[in-house]
């Protein structure tokens, strides 16, 4: 067994110096990590086990970051809990499912996934209930304040929970400790605030483009709605180039094309 007394940080490993809730979290986390498989087995056979995807339990017990896309996808899954089985020699390695097929895109998606995730965390860490509830209210408030930019709120939440998972000195309710992340995702131009969540491919303008639709000008566009502008290349009217009287003899279409 490892000799803990030889570890440089051994004599400063004292959870009692932290906020009481953080100290309790670390004590429970340390206990779970001694044998995650046994702890997970106990939870999955408990009568009151929350209905969450099995694959997230290891991360919940270890206080790791949990991708809410996996929680959201699991809620709508028709195939049970997906698993990957890989054979290595005489052994089979069973892991969680592949890439989630549904993604959190707005306030409603996030709220549903968050409630399910919170139920699992509170089952393992009961003292965190008020913390998770308060954080959920805070994030929902951000969604309400920025109705046209849900991706920024989703990115910010991911960044906050990633930092929480990597450190042991943060509560989700201590938002002042995440001011740099808030600046990055909501204030600073050209940084996180202008980025979209990986699952959201729409542009910052909500999926709309200022470019003129080429297929509309050819009378072939069937998109409803179309992300490109339905305007004539020649005169800017609300008709296609093919039916524009002003385009006669123009020598071709002008402007930006799809």
């Amino acid at each position: 067994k490892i000799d803990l007394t030889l570890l440089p940080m051994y004599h400063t490993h004292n959870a009692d110096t932290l906020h009481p809730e953080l100290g309790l979290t670390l004590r429970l986390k340390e206990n779970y990590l001694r044998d995650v498989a046994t702890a997970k087995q106990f939870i999955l056979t408990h009568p009151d086990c929350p209905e969450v995807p099995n694959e997230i339990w290891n991360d919940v017990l270890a206080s790791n970051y949990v991708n809410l896309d996996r929680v959201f996808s699991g809620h709508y899954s028709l195939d049970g809990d997906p698993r990957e089985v890989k054979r290595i020699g005489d052994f089979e390695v069973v892991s969680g499912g592949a890439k989630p097929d549904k993604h959190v895109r707005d306030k409603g998606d996030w709220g549903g996934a968050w409630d399910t995730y919170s139920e699992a965390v509170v089952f393992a860490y009961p003292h965190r209930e008020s913390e998770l509830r308060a954080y959920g209210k805070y994030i929902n408030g951000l969604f309400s304040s920025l109705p046209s930019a849900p991706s920024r709120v989703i990115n910010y939440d991911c960044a906050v929970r990633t930092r929480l998972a990597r450190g042991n000195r943060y509560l989700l309710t201590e938002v002042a400790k995440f001011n740099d992340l808030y600046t990055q995702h909501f204030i600073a131009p050209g940084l996180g605030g202008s980025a979209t969540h990986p699952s959201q491919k729409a542009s910052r303008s909500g999926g709309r483009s200022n470019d003129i639709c080429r297929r509309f000008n050819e009378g072939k566009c069937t998109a409803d709605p179309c992300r490109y502008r339905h305007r004539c290349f020649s005169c800017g009217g609300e008709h296609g180039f093919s039916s524009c009287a002003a385009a006669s003899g123009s020598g071709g279409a002008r402007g930006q094309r799809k």
Side-chain angles (χ1 to χ4, degrees), residues 216-228:
F216 169 76
N217 276 268
E218 295 172 350
K220 300 178 181 178
C221 184
T222 58
D224 184 22
C226 179
R227 64 171 297 186
Y228 297 91

Side-chain angles (χ1 to χ4, degrees), residues 220-242:
K220 300 178 181 178
C221 184
T222 58
D224 184 22
C226 179
R227 64 171 297 186
Y228 297 91
R229 296 169 58 210
H230 281 196
R231 292 289 186 271
C232 176
F233 277 139
S234 179
C235 69
E238 296 183 358
H239 50 261
F241 177 79
S242 58

Side-chain angles (χ1 to χ4, degrees), residues 84-182:
E84 285 185 340
V85 180
K86 296 181 180 180
R87 180 173 292 277
I88 302 177
D90 295 330
F91 299 94
E92 284 187 344
V93 178
V94 181
S95 62
K99 185 177 180 180
D101 57 359
K102 293 185 180 296
H103 303 281
V104 173
R105 298 180 181 276
D106 54 32
K107 179 181 180 179
D109 294 347
W110 188 91
W114 178 256
D115 287 345
T116 301
Y117 162 74
S118 296
E119 188 178 0
V121 175
V122 170
F123 195 72
Y125 297 90
H127 62 282
R128 296 193 62 192
E129 182 175 6
S130 60
E131 175 196 357
L132 295 173
R133 188 187 306 114
Y135 179 74
K137 184 176 181 180
Y138 168 64
I139 293 296
N140 277 314
L142 291 179
F143 276 117
S144 298
S145 300
L146 298 164
S148 63
S151 62
R152 297 192 182 195
V153 181
I154 293 170
N155 278 349
Y156 171 71
D157 164 60
C158 291
V160 168
R161 291 189 296 110
T162 295
R163 175 170 293 181
L164 199 80
R166 292 174 178 173
N168 292 321
R169 292 184 172 274
Y170 303 102
L171 292 171
L172 286 171
T173 49
E174 296 178 312
V175 294
K177 292 185 177 181
F178 311 123
N179 282 344
D180 59 316
L181 300 178
Y182 186 93

Side-chain angles (χ1 to χ4, degrees), residues 2-225:
I2 185 172
D3 187 348
L4 296 178
T5 62
L6 294 179
L7 300 183
M9 71 293 297
Y10 174 78
H11 297 288
T12 59
H13 188 278
N14 185 0
D16 293 334
T17 62
L18 298 174
H19 186 286
E21 289 191 9
L22 288 173
L24 180 53
T25 295
L26 286 182
R27 286 192 289 273
L28 286 172
K29 177 179 177 179
E30 192 273 338
N31 191 52
Y32 288 135
L33 289 178
R34 292 185 182 191
D35 192 341
V36 174
T38 298
K40 181 178 177 181
Q41 180 183 18
F42 182 83
I43 287 173
L44 293 179
T45 56
H46 194 284
D48 299 323
C49 176
E51 297 179 11
V52 300
N54 290 349
E55 63 178 292
I56 75 168
W57 276 114
N58 284 15
D59 287 328
V60 168
L61 294 177
S63 289
N64 290 335
Y65 170 81
V66 173
N67 184 352
L68 293 186
D69 286 347
R70 293 194 175 278
V71 180
F72 186 61
S73 294
H75 181 73
Y76 294 99
S77 175
L78 299 178
D79 301 318
D81 289 321
R83 301 191 307 167
E84 285 185 340
V85 180
K86 296 181 180 180
R87 180 173 292 277
I88 302 177
D90 295 330
F91 299 94
E92 284 187 344
V93 178
V94 181
S95 62
K99 185 177 180 180
D101 57 359
K102 293 185 180 296
H103 303 281
V104 173
R105 298 180 181 276
D106 54 32
K107 179 181 180 179
D109 294 347
W110 188 91
W114 178 256
D115 287 345
T116 301
Y117 162 74
S118 296
E119 188 178 0
V121 175
V122 170
F123 195 72
Y125 297 90
H127 62 282
R128 296 193 62 192
E129 182 175 6
S130 60
E131 175 196 357
L132 295 173
R133 188 187 306 114
Y135 179 74
K137 184 176 181 180
Y138 168 64
I139 293 296
N140 277 314
L142 291 179
F143 276 117
S144 298
S145 300
L146 298 164
S148 63
S151 62
R152 297 192 182 195
V153 181
I154 293 170
N155 278 349
Y156 171 71
D157 164 60
C158 291
V160 168
R161 291 189 296 110
T162 295
R163 175 170 293 181
L164 199 80
R166 292 174 178 173
N168 292 321
R169 292 184 172 274
Y170 303 102
L171 292 171
L172 286 171
T173 49
E174 296 178 312
V175 294
K177 292 185 177 181
F178 311 123
N179 282 344
D180 59 316
L181 300 178
Y182 186 93
T183 298
Q184 178 183 352
H185 291 279
F186 297 116
I187 300 175
L191 296 177
S194 63
T196 57
H197 188 264
S199 66
Q200 301 190 20
K201 304 301 183 181
S203 67
R204 284 174 293 176
S205 57
R208 301 288 297 175
S209 171
N210 287 325
D211 292 353
I212 294 175
C213 180
R214 174 179 58 80
R215 294 183 63 80
F216 169 76
N217 276 268
E218 295 172 350
K220 300 178 181 178
C221 184
T222 58
D224 184 22

